[in-house]
Amino acid sequence: MNAAPMLELRDITRRFEKKLDFAGRIAQRLGAPVREEVVHAVDRVNLTVRKGEVVGLVGESGCGKSTLGRMVAGILPPTEGTILRDGRDIKALTGAEARQMKLRTQMIFQDPYASLNPRMRVQDIVGEAPRVHGLLDGAAFDDYVDEQMRRAGLDPTFKRRYPHQFSGGQRQRIGIARALAVKPDFIVCDEAVAALDVSIQAQILNLFMRLRRELDLTYLFISHDLGVVEHLSDRVVIMYLGRVVEEADTETVFRRPNHPYTRSLLDSVPRIENRKRAFSVVKGEIPSPINPPAGCHFHPRCPLATERCRVEVPKLREVAPGQRSACHLNDQ
Amino acid sequence: MNMTAPTLEVRDLKTHFFTRAGVVKAVDGVSFSVGRGKVMGLVGESGSGKSVTGFSIIGLVDPPGRIAGGSILFQGRDLAKLSEEEMRDLRGNRIAMIFQDPMMTLNPVLRIDTQMIETVLAHKKVSKEEARQRARDTLGMVGIPSPDERLKAYPHQFSGGMRQRVAIAIALLHEPQLIIADEPTTALDVTIQGQILAEVQKLCATTGTSMIWITHDLSVVAGLADDIAVMYAGRIVEKGVVGEVLDRPLHPYTHGLIGSVPSRNKRGEALRQIPGMTPSLLNLPPGCAFRSRCPRASEACLTEPLLAEILPGREARCVHPHLEAPEAA
Ligand SMILES: Nc1ncnc2c1ncn2[C@@H]1O[C@H](COP(=O)(O)OP(=O)(O)OP(=O)(O)O)[C@@H](O)[C@H]1O
Ligand SMILES: Nc1ncnc2c1ncn2[C@@H]1O[C@H](COP(=O)(O)OP(=O)(O)O)[C@@H](O)[C@H]1O
Ligand code: SF4
Ligand code: SF4
Ligand SMILES: [Mg+2]
Ligand SMILES: [Mg+2]
């Protein structure tokens, strides 16, 4: 428990400049007050993930979950901040060490079809990366691919087929086999079951849980589905417009949420146990991340907002052991 | 049971697609009815025939598909027998449809007011000013703030949730007796979905509009619908009052679906799962279509079971329904 955490994000920020389109550039040249817009997709996020944990990351669309996940997976550089892997700054790594470190984190996406090359056979989709990175020698290729496929619940006799010859759930299994083939110890799942039917979703979630046990994996599990997150995660992180607003172990988040946004979110989720009842409602729309409200981003929708919330950004701080929340109400 | 006739009664509906690869029986013998002011949840996984059922009712099945049998009684008239012109007159007027993608309803190049006023005038002889008034009132009804201003906007100036509200407002313009909503909140965020579900619930209760709510999400149906029909491979396998079906599913498929909902399982443990996957509709094996995935399947299931009343008011299409006491969740 005293070893360095598997992953540590320190004040990670990611901005995107939204370049002006053609019409915008003309307008600007003619003196119109248009400017290139900046999206704060992720705004000074701190996060620690310990070995073997499943951390659920939830929030509404555009709040920065995927951007954060891509930075963790090393496929998108942060604009600011530090990412530590096993206590080491990944920016300081070079050469073979950097490549190796990158392989240790793999990402699994929502749309398994879009992320699989349609012209490659499954055996190459799964086996290519380990071969390129010298994780196996030529003779072992077939056996290795078979093992990866079997582990993901795919019949190896189908390894010469192409992605379109598989169902959605099977394609997600191919994506999983591909990710695990390079022997990662950390997996970022980005809405990995969102596109799947309920019965298939259960199969894939079970596969994730089994693989976690068998391979000692650590997950960052991104999902907008609170039911799925509650079932799978040890700890839950809630984001709103680029910032973490609450973080606690799963039980606490669902039983004793602190942040008003967390509570609103939980109230909005339809549950199969709730019959024919009035849906509770959070007022207002999700604001644009291009021009987010000042102070607490949630203040225009928050039933408890005060004057202070409009001007001062609340700090994320401990409100109970293991529970952090970013709301001014905790100061009273 | 009340004695008033239902708003909609679908009997033995068959909608088939005559493709080169063969006949796809997308809807194959579907029967259900929707009472006045009632919400019927039509649930099932992708490809089970929910949308085609909706399109059939509203007369929007495109070739190579066509209604191959059955009747669709709407206020006593059989929609399956109406001409295209008669159908067009009903559509958007007495029956409306809301789609998952609101841009199926909205025209991207027209202002909201233009679209709404035209829709009003298409079916009603009123002045333009009265039509505008109606448009504004309806936008207000679905919870759009400052409707006067919003009327002058184009669809792209709205968020996804707002666009869906406008599409719902357009569906409501003529106070239809029946609305078919095909996954209208599936693509929306949960707080926005909550807002729309609350509005819809209020509307049905106050206007007496009947609604078919198509979704794959049992939790939405649990909170919104009065009745539920579960589809599998083009057929209804179970139907009844929502609470009864969800508390005590009779059909093994419904049973499996409910069991696989994460909140119905102990946290961190393996979810109960239905093995296998949905069969291709192109060549369904004889007998019960769920057979290859069903833990209860037997020799008897090789003969196609019929939808039958198994308990009072409870129908299922299965020879070995779950009649034992429901297990604790
Ligand atoms: N134009 C078409 N030609 C051939 N088959 C079709 C056509 N439209 C629909 N189908 C078939 O009809 C069946 C039912 O389709 P439908 O879209 O109604 O299902 P659904 O349950 O609503 O699915 P989803 O939830 O994915 O929208 C599917 O097998 C589909 O492939
Ligand atoms: N490549 C990009 N260019 C410009 N904006 C982007 C880009 N990627 C993401 N964004 C913006 O960043 C914000 C957060 O995006 P994302 O991380 O994808 O959110 P989520 O996955 O939670 O939906 C959004 O407003 C999105 O539009
Ligand atoms: S800081 Fe203020 S606006 Fe933000 S959640 Fe807390 S009470 Fe609401
Ligand atoms: S008829 Fe037989 S195979 Fe079909 S659902 Fe019932 S028990 Fe299962
Ligand atoms: Mg995303
Ligand atoms: Mg559909």
Side-chain angles (χ1 to χ4, degrees):
Chain A
M1 228 42 220
N2 34 26
M6 177 157 244
L7 173 77
E8 198 179 339
L9 306 183
R10 290 197 187 147
D11 281 323
I12 284 291
T13 291
R14 175 68 208 201
R15 288 186 292 269
F16 293 106
E17 319 252 310
K18 222 172 159 180
K19 293 267 183 273
L20 288 179
D21 58 8
F22 182 67
R25 286 202 305 275
I26 300 262
Q28 190 181 41
R29 210 167 292 164
L30 295 174
V34 287
R35 281 189 301 140
E36 307 210 324
E37 289 164 326
V38 177
V39 184
H40 280 261
V42 171
D43 189 8
R44 274 168 297 171
V45 166
N46 290 283
L47 180 69
T48 302
V49 182
R50 287 181 293 274
K51 182 156 179 49
E53 257 193 318
V54 178
V55 174
L57 182 59
V58 300
E60 296 179 278
S61 62
C63 74
K65 307 180 294 298
S66 301
T67 305
L68 190 72
R70 284 157 65 208
M71 290 191 287
V72 167
I75 52 184
L76 180 79
T79 316
E80 280 159 29
T82 311
I83 301 178
L84 302 175
R85 193 70 153 78
D86 297 332
R88 305 177 64 193
D89 185 344
I90 57 164
K91 262 189 308 209
L93 301 177
T94 52
E97 224 183 359
R99 276 198 303 278
Q100 267 227 301
M101 190 60 103
K102 206 165 165 175
L103 285 181
R104 285 180 48 200
T105 309
Q106 290 294 315
M107 198 155 174
I108 293 166
F109 301 92
Q110 163 167 3
D111 184 350
Y113 199 54
S115 65
L116 301 176
N117 185 338
R119 276 185 290 278
M120 271 167 83
R121 296 178 194 279
V122 172
Q123 60 183 15
D124 297 316
I125 291 174
V126 172
E128 190 188 34
R131 185 167 48 195
V132 169
H133 291 101
L135 296 177
L136 47 92
D137 54 64
F141 182 81
D142 276 319
D143 288 344
Y144 193 75
V145 167
D146 288 3
E147 188 199 328
Q148 304 304 315
M149 287 183 69
R150 232 176 268 126
R151 195 164 62 195
L154 290 161
D155 183 347
T157 56
F158 294 151
K159 66 183 172 188
R160 300 185 58 78
R161 294 197 181 175
Y162 293 93
H164 74 263
Q165 293 170 291
F166 293 86
S167 72
Q170 288 173 323
R171 278 183 218 139
Q172 195 52 287
R173 290 179 193 273
I174 298 172
I176 293 168
R178 176 182 59 180
L180 295 178
V182 296
K183 306 190 166 122
D185 55 3
F186 191 104
I187 306 284
V188 178
C189 297
D190 189 0
E191 301 284 3
V193 295
L196 304 175
D197 271 321
V198 194
S199 70
I200 307 302
Q201 184 175 306
Q203 296 174 359
I204 300 295
L205 289 173
N206 285 345
L207 175 62
F208 279 134
M209 290 192 279
R210 198 191 82 214
L211 292 170
R212 173 199 186 185
R213 280 195 311 275
E214 287 178 6
L215 303 173
D216 209 5
L217 297 172
T218 304
Y219 289 113
L220 181 64
F221 197 89
I222 300 174
S223 175
H224 68 278
D225 186 329
L226 285 142
V228 167
V229 167
E230 180 177 12
H231 187 77
L232 217 70
S233 314
D234 302 308
R235 208 147 51 85
V236 177
V237 174
I238 293 132
M239 284 182 78
Y240 190 73
L241 287 180
R243 295 178 186 156
V244 170
V245 296
E246 181 159 6
E247 182 198 332
D249 63 89
T250 308
E251 183 89 6
T252 305
V253 163
F254 286 89
R255 294 277 157 76
R256 291 183 305 280
N258 174 278
H259 199 279
Y261 175 64
T262 311
R263 283 186 249 153
S264 308
L265 203 59
L266 293 179
D267 285 346
S268 299
V269 181
R271 291 192 171 267
I272 194 166
E273 295 80 17
N274 297 337
R275 299 297 151 64
K276 200 64 191 169
R277 61 136 209 202
F279 288 95
S280 81
V281 163
V282 196
K283 66 177 178 181
E285 290 184 72
I286 304 158
S288 154
I290 290 171
N291 205 348
C296 174
H297 284 342
F298 188 54
H299 84 251
R301 307 176 74 192
C302 181
L304 305 170
T306 64
E307 201 42 51
R308 182 183 178 199
C309 307
R310 272 176 262 280
V311 287
E312 192 186 327
V313 180
K315 284 205 177 60
L316 186 67
R317 56 179 193 76
E318 190 142 278
V319 294
Q323 182 174 26
R324 297 195 297 157
S325 173
C327 172
H328 292 313
L329 291 177
N330 293 310
D331 289 352
Q332 286 145 18
Chain B
M1 284 266 101
N2 68 21
M3 302 305 292
T4 50
T7 302
L8 179 79
E9 198 173 350
V10 174
R11 284 191 204 142
D12 203 24
L13 177 67
K14 293 192 168 105
T15 306
H16 297 172
F17 290 87
F18 298 86
T19 69
R20 263 202 259 152
V23 181
V24 177
K25 298 179 177 171
V27 174
D28 202 27
V30 159
S31 305
F32 62 87
S33 61
V34 192
R36 187 170 180 280
K38 295 283 183 198
V39 181
M40 214 256 328
L42 187 58
V43 304
E45 298 184 277
S46 63
S48 60
K50 308 177 299 290
S51 301
V52 173
T53 301
F55 285 125
S56 304
I57 295 167
I58 201 161
L60 288 178
V61 179
D62 287 324
R66 63 178 163 78
I67 294 180
S71 58
I72 305 168
L73 296 175
F74 173 67
Q75 300 182 325
R77 273 209 285 177
D78 187 357
L79 302 185
K81 296 207 169 63
L82 294 189
S83 68
E84 178 45 35
E85 204 183 320
E86 290 170 304
M87 207 52 224
R88 208 178 305 129
D89 190 52
L90 278 179
R91 229 182 354 247
N93 186 9
R94 316 245 312 266
I95 307 178
M97 187 148 175
I98 308 166
F99 306 90
Q100 176 168 349
D101 179 2
M103 294 314 287
M104 296 267 293
T105 306
L106 301 172
N107 185 333
V109 300
L110 293 180
R111 273 178 23 179
I112 300 297
D113 54 358
T114 317
Q115 306 190 37
M116 293 189 78
I117 289 168
E118 266 176 22
T119 309
V120 175
L121 296 176
H123 294 287
K124 247 194 197 118
K125 288 191 185 61
V126 292
S127 76
K128 220 171 153 185
E129 205 28 61
E130 284 169 302
R132 173 182 298 276
Q133 178 72 40
R134 175 77 195 139
R136 188 198 308 140
D137 294 348
T138 319
L139 284 184
M141 237 156 72
V142 294
I144 292 191
S146 39
D148 275 308
E149 239 167 82
R150 298 297 198 147
L151 270 176
K152 292 186 204 120
Y154 288 89
H156 74 263
Q157 294 170 293
F158 289 85
S159 66
M162 276 295 167
R163 254 179 244 157
Q164 193 57 281
R165 277 167 206 258
V166 175
I168 294 174
I170 289 177
L172 292 174
L173 277 174
H174 293 284
E175 298 174 12
Q177 280 92 4
L178 175 68
I179 296 179
I180 300 162
D182 190 359
E183 310 243 15
T185 59
T186 301
L188 301 178
D189 275 310
V190 41
T191 59
I192 309 301
Q193 165 171 281
Q195 294 168 353
I196 289 183
L197 293 177
E199 300 291 350
V200 162
Q201 214 167 29
K202 232 182 330 177
L203 278 167
C204 286
T206 53
T207 61
T209 303
S210 307
M211 173 111 74
I212 298 173
W213 192 273
I214 297 176
T215 180
H216 65 273
D217 191 339
L218 287 168
S219 309
V220 167
V221 166
L224 184 72
D226 300 285
D227 301 301
I228 183 174
V230 182
M231 283 190 81
Y232 189 80
R235 301 182 180 105
I236 289 178
V237 294
E238 172 151 19
K239 66 182 176 189
V241 174
V242 161
E244 290 179 24
V245 172
L246 295 183
D247 288 337
R248 197 181 171 184
L250 296 172
H251 196 280
Y253 175 64
T254 322
H255 199 265
L257 266 191
I258 295 169
S260 67
V261 172
S263 70
R264 282 296 171 102
N265 289 266
K266 205 146 171 210
R267 207 172 86 215
E269 282 183 6
L271 298 162
R272 278 165 279 174
Q273 62 177 49
I274 302 176
M277 48 192 182
T278 39
S280 155
L281 292 184
L282 216 42
N283 32 36
L284 280 178
C288 173
F290 189 57
R291 215 176 63 226
S292 64
R293 310 175 74 188
C294 182
R296 304 193 149 209
S298 75
E299 209 56 29
C301 310
L302 285 164
T303 315
E304 153 103 68
L306 299 173
L307 193 65
E309 185 160 25
I310 286 173
L311 294 173
R314 296 289 312 278
E315 287 172 68
R317 191 187 282 274
C318 174
V319 293
H320 306 300
H322 285 260
L323 289 171
E324 58 278 17
E327 50 203 278

